[in-house]
Amino acid sequence: MKEQYITITGIKHYYGIISFEIGRKITCVKEPDNYYDQEAIRCQVKHIGTVGYVANSTYTVAVGTKSAGRIAHKVKKKFKVQVMFVAGNYVICKVVDGLKEKKEHEPLPEKEGRQSLI
């Protein structure tokens, strides 16, 4: 599957840029019951806690990355990302663990008494 990138935003509301270093792994957790955004994905670091959220607005999603709404169906409830770039109030990460397997479409079994169209 193609590499997937996300933008972490809202970092100024938590610990700021200090919690992000290139290569650090961050756990992301979907929050379908989030009051403000049902597509919200929380980003957290062990021993620190929440450090931001996956961007989900055209104003906060960096070019070349996926919004929370666009990545949600491609990842499990909990997944890991790795910090690749830090720029201003944005952190660009690559999804490194928790991508869903792409299912191959299997042909439907033929029912007895019906002929194949092929």
Side-chain angles (χ1 to χ4, degrees), residues 2-70:
K2 185 179 165 186
E3 291 181 339
Q4 302 293 319
Y5 292 87
I6 54 109
T7 305
I8 296 178
T9 192
I11 59 180
K12 65 182 178 179
H13 300 293
Y14 298 96
Y15 299 97
I17 211 80
I18 195 121
S19 4
F20 300 96
E21 58 189 40
I22 305 301
R24 173 173 254 168
K25 294 217 173 125
I26 297 171
T27 302
C28 299
V29 182
K30 294 179 186 178
E31 290 186 343
D33 296 330
N34 185 297
Y35 179 78
Y36 298 102
D37 182 359
Q38 292 178 340
E39 295 176 326
I41 302 174
R42 181 180 69 246
C43 302
Q44 58 191 38
V45 174
K46 191 175 185 176
H47 304 297
I48 295 176
T50 301
V51 293
Y53 277 80
V54 175
N56 204 22
S57 161
T58 55
Y59 300 108
T60 57
V61 176
V63 174
T65 67
K66 303 274 191 217
S67 67
R70 287 185 158 285

Side-chain angles (χ1 to χ4, degrees), residues 60-117:
T60 57
V61 176
V63 174
T65 67
K66 303 274 191 217
S67 67
R70 287 185 158 285
I71 197 77
H73 69 283
K74 296 180 180 184
V75 293
K76 298 174 183 176
K77 179 172 175 47
K78 223 178 193 185
F79 61 99
K80 293 217 181 260
V81 297
Q82 185 172 19
V83 177
M84 303 303 284
F85 306 98
V86 178
N89 289 326
Y90 296 101
V91 178
I92 309 298
C93 299
K94 177 170 78 170
V95 178
V96 293
D97 187 34
L99 280 170
K100 291 180 180 177
E101 298 286 325
K102 190 171 183 177
K103 294 180 182 177
E104 295 292 326
H105 293 287
E106 294 181 25
L108 295 174
E110 290 185 34
K111 290 190 177 184
E112 213 173 291
R114 288 190 181 172
Q115 294 181 353
S116 175
L117 298 175

